[in-house]
Amino acid sequence: MPRLVILRHAKSAWPEGVPDYRRPLADRGRIEAPAVGRWLAEHVPDIDLALVSPATRTRQTWDLVSAELPAVPEVRFEEQLYGEGAEAILDLLGSLAEVKTVLVIGHNPDLELLVGSLTGEHPVLKTSTLSVVKCARGFRSGELVMTEKIRP
């Protein structure tokens, strides 16, 4: 049964004059992201593929998370994860074959809408919050297993 791990990026900074796409992680985000990686290493060590938004803060989150994993999975930076909506993410997930566990690192509101679309439940995904979804039929529907804000 496929498993989807959905992660909202770690806390970002709001530097003046920096466009949203280029916003970096804040100091708190640089502390929280490795904690997410350690949580994943303990609870979901078998990630096959990471799909990451190409925005600066999601790339930085991935770098810090992946440094804590026992094995770094294949990573793909996908534009559909930056503000194109939950349907675009579902289309991206629907194109995957032979993948058992996928980590998606992206942004709200798309990630909250994605979880709602897959499970009918609507958790609040603050920064550095994970949702784990067991998917019954590919990555089109599933059961929400947990949602947790990861703290160091």
Side-chain angles (χ1 to χ4, degrees):
M1 179 176 299
R3 180 171 44 178
L4 181 59
V5 181
I6 299 165
L7 170 62
R8 182 169 174 208
H9 61 78
K11 181 69 177 168
S12 60
W14 293 83
E16 189 174 324
V18 174
D20 183 73
Y21 192 83
R22 300 280 179 233
R23 287 179 29 229
L25 290 181
D27 290 343
R28 186 175 100 197
R30 292 181 212 293
I31 294 168
E32 288 178 348
V36 171
R38 290 188 293 275
W39 189 96
L40 287 170
E42 183 177 338
H43 296 94
V44 189
D46 56 344
I47 298 167
D48 299 307
L49 175 65
L51 301 175
V52 181
S53 160
T56 299
R57 60 193 177 276
T58 46
R59 285 177 173 267
Q60 290 176 338
T61 298
W62 168 246
D63 289 345
L64 294 167
V65 165
S66 65
E68 301 293 331
L69 299 176
V72 178
E74 175 188 351
V75 62
R76 292 183 2 207
F77 297 97
E78 297 285 352
E79 288 293 334
Q80 294 96 314
L81 297 174
Y82 183 76
E84 292 193 22
E87 279 301 316
I89 299 172
L90 284 170
D91 289 344
L92 178 62
L93 292 170
S95 71
L96 301 177
E98 305 290 324
V99 179
K100 291 185 180 180
T101 301
V102 177
L103 170 65
V104 173
I105 304 177
H107 312 269
N108 270 344
D110 295 352
L111 294 183
E112 288 178 350
L113 294 170
L114 174 65
V115 174
S117 175
L118 291 170
T119 69
E121 297 187 41
H122 302 279
V124 174
L125 299 181
K126 296 181 184 268
T127 56
S128 299
T129 297
L130 285 166
S131 281
V132 178
V133 177
K134 285 192 330 190
C135 299
R137 298 181 319 270
F139 292 106
R140 282 292 180 182
S141 67
E143 171 191 351
L144 183 62
V145 175
M146 61 77 64
T147 295
E148 185 173 333
K149 165 81 173 167
I150 306 300
R151 299 187 188 277

